[in-house]
Amino acid sequence: MGDKLLFTVPAEYDNMLAQHFLKKHCGLSSRLITRLKQIENGITMNGKLLRSVDFVKAGAVVEIKIPEENSGIQPIEGSLDICFEDDCFLIVNKPPLMPVHPVKQHQNDTLANIVAYYCQCKNEDYTFRAINRLDRDTSGLVIIAKNRFCANAMKGIVNKTYYAICHGKTEPSGTINKPIGLLEDSKMVRHILEDGPKAVTHFKTLKSDNNISFIELWLETGRTHQIRCHMSSIGHPLLGDDLYGGSLELISRQTLHCGKVSFIHPVTNKEITVNASLPEDMADILKALD
């Protein structure tokens, strides 16, 4: 991966204190700025060292060296469905039944392990930072930031579109605005909780019959199990989601897929939109609706 970021100082930032420019325009945290000060020529302007107490000039090029990092995750050979990659991000289409991060029960069969192997083959080495996290059984797009700066810059700016197959005939469109909280005596299951955190889900029906519906969803909030809990709460649990009332008759995992992500690139300022087609198991179920 590239080990530097380049920013041209806009006219409106002329003669601004470097510390403020680095935070407001470049999106650097105080912690990262402090770390860059410890690196030789960690921050330069037109090739000369730029201190946080200096002033930036319009049109000047500010170069930021990204500190080298090591993920510490064991590389394991595997297949990656890469949908987008540049010096800042790797976006992959995660298959169902694959954990994103290593956990106690899954140390060597996760997306992070395969990405580590991919990096090794490219002579790259960066900490695995997944911007969005999907359940093991959920398929779809996972955005991996290649450095701390990009990870911090992506907080709250990614628009995600999900696709799901649920039981019953859903309304043409709808919004579910119900707070969600952890079910008492459970470490995993969520339920509608009157005084719980706010949770808002929007959906649109793409195809349906009297038995199942194929829907598109987007979220205003990102609560754990939000889509699964919300759809179950209105009588339309996802197929395969027995945790929330779905049947295992047609499929043994929840039919949920993150099929689209879009965001403004924090370095290039270009709009990035990435799509991922449905996995085979969901596509096979939908054939009955054609």
Side-chain angles (χ1 to χ4, degrees):
M1 63 171 286
D3 61 352
K4 63 183 179 181
L5 299 173
L6 299 176
F7 294 93
T8 300
V9 180
E12 61 267 30
Y13 288 92
D14 186 44
N15 212 34
M16 175 178 281
L17 193 68
Q19 178 87 2
H20 295 159
F21 172 78
L22 294 170
K23 288 184 176 181
K24 291 183 178 181
H25 183 70
C26 304
L28 302 188
S29 65
S30 297
R31 184 176 179 180
L32 182 54
I33 293 173
T34 299
R35 187 174 178 187
L36 288 167
K37 290 177 181 178
Q38 301 168 359
I39 299 173
E40 184 178 0
N41 291 324
I43 307 173
T44 61
M45 182 172 68
N46 290 343
K48 297 181 179 180
L49 180 66
L50 180 67
R51 302 171 302 166
S52 58
V53 295
D54 294 333
F55 295 89
V56 298
K57 301 298 180 183
V61 176
V62 173
E63 179 179 312
I64 299 166
K65 286 186 178 180
I66 301 300
E68 293 185 1
E69 300 175 289
N70 188 296
S71 67
I73 295 174
Q74 182 178 356
I76 301 293
E77 185 174 2
S79 176
L80 281 182
D81 182 4
I82 298 174
C83 300
F84 175 88
E85 184 175 17
D86 65 3
D87 287 344
C88 298
F89 300 102
L90 174 69
I91 304 180
V92 301
N93 183 16
K94 184 187 82 70
L97 309 181
M98 176 186 286
V100 172
H101 296 89
V103 292
K104 186 176 181 179
Q105 303 89 339
H106 299 275
Q107 288 291 316
N108 302 315
D109 59 349
T110 73
L111 180 64
N113 295 118
I114 299 175
V115 168
Y117 181 84
Y118 174 74
C119 293
Q120 187 179 75
C121 293
K122 295 185 67 180
N123 291 320
E124 295 182 356
D125 192 10
Y126 49 84
T127 297
F128 183 87
R129 292 187 175 93
I131 302 303
N132 60 316
R133 302 184 181 188
L134 302 181
D135 292 340
R136 172 182 176 271
D137 288 359
T138 300
S139 59
L141 296 167
V142 176
I143 306 171
I144 298 132
K146 292 187 176 183
N147 57 64
R148 183 181 286 107
F149 162 78
C150 289
N152 291 336
M154 291 288 278
K155 292 179 180 178
I157 71 167
V158 182
N159 296 310
K160 300 178 286 290
T161 303
Y162 294 87
Y163 297 90
I165 306 173
C166 59
H167 289 282
K169 187 178 181 66
T170 53
E171 296 293 327
S173 62
T175 294
I176 307 168
N177 187 347
K178 298 180 180 181
I180 291 175
L182 194 62
L183 188 66
E184 189 176 356
D185 297 328
S186 174
K187 295 181 179 180
M188 180 185 302
V189 181
R190 266 64 182 177
H191 69 142
I192 304 305
L193 186 63
E194 186 174 342
D195 59 349
K198 179 180 179 180
V200 182
T201 302
H202 304 282
F203 72 88
K204 179 174 71 173
T205 301
L206 302 178
K207 292 181 181 180
S208 68
D209 60 19
N210 290 327
N211 297 314
I212 62 174
S213 297
F214 178 47
I215 60 175
E216 179 181 83
L217 308 104
W218 57 102
L219 311 178
E220 285 189 26
T221 54
R223 308 303 176 196
T224 300
H225 293 186
Q226 179 173 319
I227 289 175
R228 299 165 65 188
C229 180
H230 267 174
M231 293 309 299
S232 178
S233 76
I234 62 170
H236 298 289
L238 306 190
L239 270 65
D241 191 5
D242 59 339
L243 192 66
Y244 289 95
S247 169
L248 300 176
E249 183 179 354
L250 296 179
I251 191 170
S252 60
R253 62 103 179 175
Q254 71 255 14
T255 46
L256 183 60
H257 176 72
C258 182
K260 179 181 177 181
V261 296
S262 60
F263 57 93
I264 302 300
H265 198 292
V267 175
T268 67
N269 283 323
K270 294 181 179 179
E271 183 174 358
I272 305 295
T273 299
V274 181
N275 295 278
S277 57
L278 290 175
E280 188 174 338
D281 58 359
M282 288 181 65
D284 286 343
I285 294 173
L286 290 181
K287 290 176 182 178
L289 294 178
D290 292 335

